[in-house]
Amino acid sequence: MEKTLPMPLAATAKKINMNKLANRTLHYLVLTLLAVITVYPFWWTLVTALSTSGDVFTYPPRMWPESPGLDNFVEVFQTIDVIAFYQNSIIISALTVAGTLIVCSMAAYPLARMQFPGRNIVFGAILATMILPSEVNFLVNFITVSKLGMGDSYTGVVLPGLAGAVGIFLMKQAFEAVPNDLVDAARVDGATEWQIFWHIMLPLARPALAALTILTLVAAWNQYIWPSIVMASPDKFPLSVGVLYLSGAFSFKIRVVAAGAVLTVLPILMVFLFTQRYFLRGFDGAVK
């Protein structure tokens, strides 16, 4: 015979299921709202870039382009050297990513696996820098870069941002997650600290390295203020700075500027969409 729950238990189970359904619905509503708020600025920019007529600042805002076309994108390519700016952005981003991975991983390894006086103080000082906005360092970094003769160069743009606190923290957490027995066994076999770092730590920290790569790539590609301060030659500008040439001194075409913004954001957006699982996997270890 088929068993049935007593009436009080059946009512309780039904109430629990209804509560779970209500909580799940609420979660999806909140996530949907956050997604709309996050995506809307880019969607408005894309609609503006594709529109060839109509009032840009109409209210309520248009959700679809009016008389859609690619005229604004064509004008961007006619106004500025987009390909050259893209090349500059790629060079700066590649150098920044490579340097950050090297510096942050090498700085994180002794903090995670070596015992030395003041280790916690050093790590605390590194984390304390996260409190300060990056703009605070601009004056000191600009003076340092100028004194070293790195002004108006890719090196001057890349060098000050290599040892980021977020990257060191992320790699330190990844190295600490490696089992001690594995490291001890390598030391018993006569492995040096460099061999342990290169052949054990880095391969096991690949998710964190992937997350740091994506995080650094997005930040390097989108940075605007620091390159505009260091760079003096327009032919070395990254795309984020080069789109300034789309706006004149007294007037500018908002649709053309929007098209330039789309061309700037689109490549890094596509990279993040295709690599987000590696990004989340790397941060999963840092959270634990």
Side-chain angles (χ1 to χ4, degrees):
M1 296 180 61
E2 186 177 346
K3 295 182 179 180
T4 58
L5 293 174
M7 290 300 296
L9 293 179
T12 302
K14 183 177 180 181
K15 184 177 181 180
I16 293 175
N17 291 333
M18 292 298 295
N19 290 337
K20 289 182 178 179
L21 179 60
N23 290 335
R24 182 176 299 178
T25 303
L26 180 61
H27 290 165
Y28 278 112
L29 288 175
V30 172
L31 291 175
T32 302
L33 178 62
L34 292 176
V36 171
I37 295 174
T38 304
V39 173
Y40 174 74
F42 178 77
W43 179 253
W44 181 89
T45 305
L46 180 61
V47 169
T48 303
L50 292 174
S51 299
T52 57
S53 63
D55 186 4
V56 174
F57 300 106
T58 184
Y59 186 83
R62 301 182 185 277
M63 292 292 100
W64 299 102
E66 185 172 343
S67 302
L70 299 177
D71 297 347
N72 298 318
F73 292 94
V74 173
E75 188 169 349
V76 171
F77 280 89
Q78 293 175 345
T79 306
I80 62 176
D81 192 350
V82 177
I83 303 301
F85 289 147
Y86 262 128
Q87 292 175 348
N88 295 335
S89 293
I90 292 173
I91 293 173
I92 292 174
S93 299
L95 292 175
T96 303
V97 169
T100 299
L101 292 180
I102 294 172
V103 173
C104 289
S105 59
M106 294 184 69
Y109 178 70
L111 292 173
R113 288 297 179 175
M114 295 181 181
Q115 299 294 332
F116 57 89
R119 185 183 70 163
N120 293 332
I121 296 177
V122 172
F123 184 59
I126 293 174
L127 293 182
T129 61
M130 298 174 63
I131 302 174
L132 301 174
S134 59
E135 290 78 9
V136 174
N137 302 320
F138 281 174
L139 179 59
V140 176
N141 289 338
F142 180 76
I143 294 174
T144 303
V145 167
S146 299
K147 293 294 184 181
L148 293 175
M150 298 179 181
D152 194 23
S153 66
Y154 296 136
T155 306
V157 176
V158 171
L159 194 60
L162 297 185
V166 174
I168 295 175
F169 171 76
L170 181 63
M171 295 309 303
K172 179 178 180 294
Q173 297 300 106
F175 290 152
E176 288 179 344
V178 177
N180 290 326
D181 294 340
L182 189 61
V183 179
D184 293 338
R187 289 198 175 105
V188 170
D189 290 339
T192 63
E193 293 296 335
W194 174 256
Q195 290 173 330
I196 294 173
F197 170 74
W198 185 258
H199 296 290
I200 296 177
M201 289 297 179
L202 289 182
L204 293 178
R206 280 180 295 184
L209 289 171
L212 182 58
T213 298
I214 299 169
L215 191 66
T216 306
L217 178 62
V218 173
W221 185 273
N222 293 328
Q223 65 175 336
Y224 160 75
I225 299 179
W226 178 243
S228 63
I229 293 175
V230 176
M231 293 291 192
S233 302
D235 59 335
K236 296 180 181 179
F237 284 169
L239 186 59
S240 58
V241 180
V243 293
L244 283 177
Y245 285 102
L246 297 175
S247 58
F250 302 101
S251 63
F252 61 94
K253 298 178 180 179
I254 186 63
R255 294 188 182 88
V256 179
V257 174
V262 170
L263 291 175
T264 304
V265 175
L266 195 58
I268 203 66
L269 180 63
M270 298 301 295
V271 170
F272 184 77
L273 288 176
F274 285 106
T275 58
Q276 59 179 326
R277 63 180 183 274
Y278 303 106
F279 180 78
L280 298 176
R281 190 183 306 170
F283 268 99
D284 182 58
V287 172
K288 292 180 180 179

